[in-house]
Amino acid sequence: MKLTEAKKSSENGCNDVDISDRAPSVVLRSLHSAYITKYLSRKTTFEYVSSEYLRMSGIFWCVGAMDLMDKREWITRDELVTVVLGCQKQSGGISAAPGHDAHVLYTLSAVQIAVIFDFVELLDVDGIVAFLKERQNEDGSFGGDRYNEIDTRFTFCVLAALYLLNRLDTVNIPKAVEHVLKCQNIDGGFGTRPGSESHAGQIFCCLGTLAITGQLELVDPTKTAEWLAQRQCDSGGLNGRPDKLPDVCYSWWVMASLAILGKLDWINRENMKRYITACQDQESGGFADRPGDEPDPFHTLFGLAGLSLLECEDLEPVDAVFCMTKRVLGDKSLC
């Protein structure tokens, strides 16, 4: 039975959820491995077909989760090679799926998949670099695609992909850093662009950008860490903004940001672990955003990655910047 008794509540003005005493408290690794394998094999389900617009990232979430559990051999490398190469466009960028436009989000996911399964040399790396370089604007910001939507997520995606490809020197790093710093708010957080609301996901992207470029000393770690630590609710879960419900994905965005700052001990680790493990589906495997909800690959990766940051049993150590195992990254690991 699913833990449907998990419900919304409000205490001291903070939205939260209740956790059942019957919720799991250990990592259900075998169930999660079976869940990911089943998800990748059932290509005619509504869930799989309807997620085509983000398919490349979805594959990375599945691959990343299996790598954290040391189960890469359960996934067929040749199939991944075919899918990734089939999505590289004439522009050099990579799309979510065949027939879709290239975007920096899916280009990074494809590069991460290629690094995990060691087939970077099969990619048109020069084409990828040219596509990513073309996304930078005069003010240092990056657009996601040819339509040039600006978001600090895209800055992180471009620089992370170039770092993994050993081509970081092909874009204007000082301008990129200058733009990111303009996106910081007086509360210590960062937004999507200058003047935008602080959000945990954007903080991760901006801190990740500064870590990749070696510029972390340009932020006040205490001020930013205070904002992040305040995201922990009474249930132990973390939210992305004030007065929002906790969500397993913020177990990653918030904790990884704190890890980058060297402040991971600023949250209650035991309560955090209790929340993440409670979000596991004891029947099908996988993690949901909150206890009792339906699991999906997105929350499964970030649930496992969050538990890895907490040094939970039988999970590979994860790099806080790239959400990839330190084993795969080798000397490229930053945190």
Side-chain angles (χ1 to χ4, degrees):
M1 292 180 61
K2 294 187 182 298
L3 301 170
T4 54
E5 56 266 58
K7 61 180 183 294
K8 298 178 182 179
S9 62
S10 180
E11 296 180 7
N12 302 322
C14 178
N15 292 321
D16 207 349
V17 299
D18 294 331
I19 297 178
S20 168
D21 292 337
R22 295 184 290 134
S25 58
V26 297
V27 184
L28 308 175
R29 292 177 73 254
S30 59
L31 276 177
H32 302 322
S33 299
Y35 169 78
I36 292 295
T37 304
K38 185 176 181 180
Y39 180 86
L40 288 173
S41 67
R42 299 178 66 185
K43 295 181 171 60
T44 59
T45 63
F46 173 78
E47 291 81 2
Y48 192 89
V49 173
S50 63
S51 63
E52 181 181 89
Y53 69 97
L54 48 72
R55 179 65 41 73
M56 190 64 68
S57 290
I59 294 172
F60 167 67
W61 301 332
C62 291
V63 165
M66 295 298 270
D67 190 33
L68 282 167
M69 295 184 288
D70 196 19
K71 297 291 185 182
R72 280 182 300 172
E73 72 277 6
W74 288 31
I75 298 178
T76 305
R77 178 181 182 274
D78 290 346
E79 184 176 350
L80 293 177
V81 171
T82 299
V83 170
V84 171
L85 296 186
C87 290
Q88 186 158 20
K89 303 298 180 181
Q90 189 172 4
S91 65
I94 297 174
S95 63
H100 292 243
D101 289 342
H103 197 287
V104 300
L105 288 171
Y106 310 118
T107 301
L108 172 59
S109 292
V111 170
Q112 290 174 300
I113 294 166
V115 170
I116 292 172
F117 277 86
D118 194 23
F119 63 88
V120 170
E121 74 281 356
L122 299 180
L123 300 174
D124 175 6
V125 172
D126 288 340
I128 291 174
V129 172
F131 172 77
L132 296 175
K133 182 179 180 180
E134 191 176 354
R135 305 279 72 79
Q136 189 167 29
N137 298 299
E138 288 187 8
D139 65 355
S141 66
F142 286 86
D145 55 18
R146 60 193 177 97
Y147 299 107
N148 201 35
E149 177 191 1
I150 306 301
D151 191 314
T152 45
R153 288 182 302 156
F154 307 151
T155 299
F156 172 76
C157 288
V158 169
L159 297 185
L162 291 174
Y163 175 86
L164 292 172
L165 295 173
N166 297 315
R167 303 291 287 275
L168 195 56
D169 60 347
T170 56
V171 293
N172 190 326
I173 296 299
K175 276 287 188 181
V177 170
E178 179 183 342
H179 173 74
V180 163
L181 293 176
K182 288 179 180 177
C183 296
Q184 186 170 28
N185 297 313
I186 58 173
D187 59 11
F190 290 80
T192 58
R193 58 178 67 197
S196 295
E197 176 187 15
S198 294
H199 189 285
Q202 307 303 141
I203 292 174
F204 167 81
C205 291
C206 292
L207 292 180
T209 294
L210 296 175
I212 289 169
T213 57
Q215 301 293 318
L216 274 173
E217 73 278 1
L218 297 178
V219 297
D220 179 350
T222 299
K223 192 172 187 178
T224 302
E226 284 178 349
W227 191 96
L228 292 164
Q230 290 170 9
R231 305 280 61 78
Q232 189 161 33
C233 304
D234 291 340
S235 64
L238 296 160
N239 60 27
R241 292 175 290 164
D243 298 321
K244 297 295 183 180
L245 285 166
D247 186 320
V248 155
C249 71
Y250 293 113
S251 303
W252 175 256
W253 309 123
V254 174
M255 285 205 297
S257 297
L258 287 170
I260 291 170
L261 293 172
K263 307 286 187 183
L264 189 53
D265 59 346
W266 282 31
I267 61 163
N268 187 311
R269 297 165 70 103
E270 287 303 313
N271 286 351
M272 183 74 262
K273 181 181 177 182
R274 175 174 174 263
Y275 178 84
I276 300 174
T277 55
C279 293
Q280 298 173 103
D281 192 305
Q282 298 182 86
E283 295 178 356
S284 67
F287 288 74
D289 56 349
R290 287 176 277 278
D293 288 353
E294 290 294 321
D296 59 71
F298 174 81
H299 290 95
T300 299
L301 169 61
F302 294 120
L304 290 169
L307 290 171
S308 176
L309 284 176
L310 294 173
E311 301 178 344
C312 288
E313 66 277 3
D314 297 328
L315 292 175
E316 290 291 320
V318 68
D319 182 273
V321 175
F322 298 102
C323 197
M324 298 165 67
T325 62
K326 294 184 178 183
R327 175 193 59 205
V328 160
L329 288 168
D331 60 7
K332 288 184 179 296
S333 181
L334 291 175
C335 181

